[in-house]
Amino acid sequence: MSNSTNHATLIVDGILAALFFAVCVLYAFVGGWPDVVVVVLFSAALAIRRAAPGASLVVAWVAACAQMLMLRELQPADAAVFVVVYSTAAHGSKAVRWWGLGSAGAGAVIASAYLSVVMPLVNGVGIAPTTDAIGRITWSALLFGAAITGLVLAWTIGLLARTVRDSREQRRRAELDRREREHAEYRYVVEQERTRIARDMHDVVAHSLAVVIAQADGARFAARTRPEAAVDALETISGVARGALGDVRLLLGELRHREGESPQPALDDLDDLLEQVRGAGLDVRRTERGERVPLGAGHQIAVYRIVQEGLTNALRHGDTAQPVDLALDWSPEGVAVQVENAVTDAAHPGTGDEPGPGPRHGIPGMRERAELAGGTFAAESLEDGRFRITARIPAQAAS
């Protein structure tokens, strides 16, 4: 328990102990100063019952012993004993817990003997229903049974409260650990996706720069003799450079560790991709609206990869018995890609930046693709049991 928690606990328990004292001291004034002393001691035990359960048990024993040594009758302040025994089980260490249980047994024996034997002798009259031996033994047994039941019950309730509290704390810590692992896994997935993006874009950028250099050299030699060829070369340079600029903006620094050797996919490769997915048993229904606008090579890769990952998630985590809708909506600003599929009862894809249980690794990758291309990405679970991803890829990266 931290210092701040200890401080707050002492304040709360101190206030409750003060209220307990204010109520019990009214009765104690009738009995005189010995009863007031007992009330003060029991109130002190209550004030430290959570911050120091062991010390609270000792103070409670001192109060009880003082009460018996001064031959005082039972009073309302004696109820503090049950709270102290409860606190030893609920808040004490292992040793204090067992001392609390032992105190419950010993206290029941001493209290029953004090009330059934000592006090009748002091008062000169029996408090038992009869004065014969059998009646006194019966009365002693009833007192012992009531005392041991009450004290052990208080201790047991405290132990149950401790068990529930510890269980909640363990679940809270387990949940924090799970979230931390998922965040670490998510960051790892994002970094892996960035590396793959850098590898994909390397060939595109290198090719664009090679074209620019070749055209620039040609325009320089043809400028004097063939001006029209130079103009054409400059137009080619302009177009390639603009595309390369958009591609370069997809990179987030030096993320590439090795170059990929496979050809880079483009929009024209979507037909082959759909055939592959359909061959795997997924009914993909493609719709394309609007007039296509030119996309840079990097942007085409982004579209291709998003469609690929969306269909892969639908194949792995969706209901393959129902069709998957793929829509490409073209506008002068770019293209909107939408993949919608039915999900099974056991599949719950993560939809936000923080993946839930069993995160779909394709979602952070698709988000990274879209955002690095200057676009947006969204994933959502629909009320009708379907799952939809939507990505908007601009015709050219924002300036």
Side-chain angles (χ1 to χ4, degrees):
M1 190 178 294
S2 63
N3 292 333
S4 59
T5 303
N6 265 332
H7 185 66
T9 298
L10 279 173
I11 293 176
V12 173
D13 289 345
I15 294 174
L16 295 177
L19 295 176
F20 176 83
F21 174 81
V23 173
C24 294
V25 76
L26 298 177
Y27 180 88
F29 279 139
V30 178
W33 67 267
D35 287 348
V36 174
V37 172
V38 173
V39 172
V40 170
L41 291 174
F42 276 129
S43 299
L46 291 179
I48 60 174
R49 66 182 184 87
R50 286 192 293 176
S56 175
L57 182 64
V58 172
V59 175
W61 267 109
V62 171
C65 291
Q67 183 179 10
M68 290 184 288
L69 290 175
M70 292 186 292
L71 302 176
R72 309 308 299 172
E73 296 282 356
L74 284 177
Q75 55 180 300
D78 291 312
V81 173
F82 298 96
V83 180
V84 172
V85 171
Y86 165 89
S87 299
T88 59
H91 307 289
S93 63
K94 183 177 180 180
V96 171
R97 288 201 300 273
W98 289 113
W99 275 108
L101 181 60
S103 296
V109 172
I110 295 173
S112 60
Y114 176 77
L115 293 175
S116 62
V117 178
V118 177
M119 290 308 298
L121 294 176
V122 171
N123 294 331
V125 293
I127 60 173
T130 62
T131 57
D132 58 278
I134 296 177
R136 191 170 297 279
I137 292 174
T138 301
W139 178 244
S140 299
L142 290 175
L143 286 175
F144 173 77
I148 193 67
T149 300
L151 291 171
V152 172
L153 181 62
W155 185 88
T156 303
I157 294 174
L159 189 62
L160 290 175
R162 183 192 195 100
T163 302
V164 171
R165 186 180 67 248
D166 291 346
S167 177
R168 290 177 178 174
E169 180 65 18
Q170 289 177 359
R171 288 198 300 268
R172 186 186 68 84
R173 291 180 179 177
E175 179 66 15
L176 292 176
D177 291 341
R178 182 187 64 81
R179 291 182 179 179
E180 185 176 350
R181 288 195 302 270
E182 288 181 355
H183 283 232
E185 181 182 6
Y186 179 77
R187 290 192 296 268
Y188 172 78
V189 171
V190 170
E191 289 303 319
Q192 290 293 100
E193 187 62 23
R194 287 180 175 177
T195 301
R196 188 174 68 162
I197 291 170
R199 186 174 60 245
D200 287 346
M201 295 309 304
H202 173 267
D203 291 341
V204 175
V205 174
H207 173 74
S208 299
L209 293 178
V211 172
V212 168
I213 293 172
Q215 293 292 326
D217 288 340
R220 181 163 57 89
F221 290 113
R224 294 182 180 179
T225 58
R226 297 176 56 195
E228 65 282 0
V231 172
D232 293 339
L234 291 175
E235 290 179 354
T236 301
I237 290 174
S238 176
V240 173
R242 290 180 185 277
L245 178 62
D247 296 338
V248 170
R249 284 173 176 169
L250 294 174
L251 299 177
L252 293 180
E254 296 297 330
L255 300 177
R256 181 178 59 82
H257 297 292
R258 64 179 183 272
E259 299 181 4
E261 298 177 356
S262 58
Q264 303 302 322
L267 288 178
D268 294 337
D269 297 317
L270 284 178
D271 292 333
D272 294 336
L273 173 64
L274 296 183
E275 289 301 320
Q276 293 175 0
V277 176
R278 287 168 180 155
L282 194 64
D283 181 13
V284 182
R285 300 181 181 180
R286 172 182 176 179
T287 59
E288 189 165 353
R289 293 180 290 269
E291 184 177 355
R292 285 193 177 188
V293 295
L295 294 180
H299 294 70
Q300 293 190 44
I301 294 174
V303 173
Y304 181 92
R305 294 300 188 195
I306 290 172
V307 172
Q308 183 184 47
E309 294 288 355
L311 296 179
T312 300
N313 274 348
L315 184 62
R316 294 178 57 192
H317 310 295
D319 186 357
T320 57
Q322 299 189 40
V324 176
D325 296 325
L326 168 63
L328 299 176
D329 292 330
W330 293 89
S331 67
E333 290 76 25
V335 60
V337 181
Q338 180 175 292
V339 179
E340 182 176 328
N341 65 279
V343 296
T344 60
D345 292 338
H348 300 284
T351 60
D353 288 341
E354 297 180 3
R360 306 295 180 247
H361 291 187
I363 291 177
M366 288 184 285
R367 187 184 307 280
E368 193 76 3
R369 289 277 186 182
E371 292 179 352
L372 290 180
T376 59
F377 177 84
E380 57 182 338
S381 296
L382 306 179
E383 295 181 355
D384 58 355
R386 296 178 68 82
F387 183 69
R388 176 194 297 161
I389 63 168
T390 303
R392 300 184 183 277
I393 306 300
Q396 182 178 354
S399 300

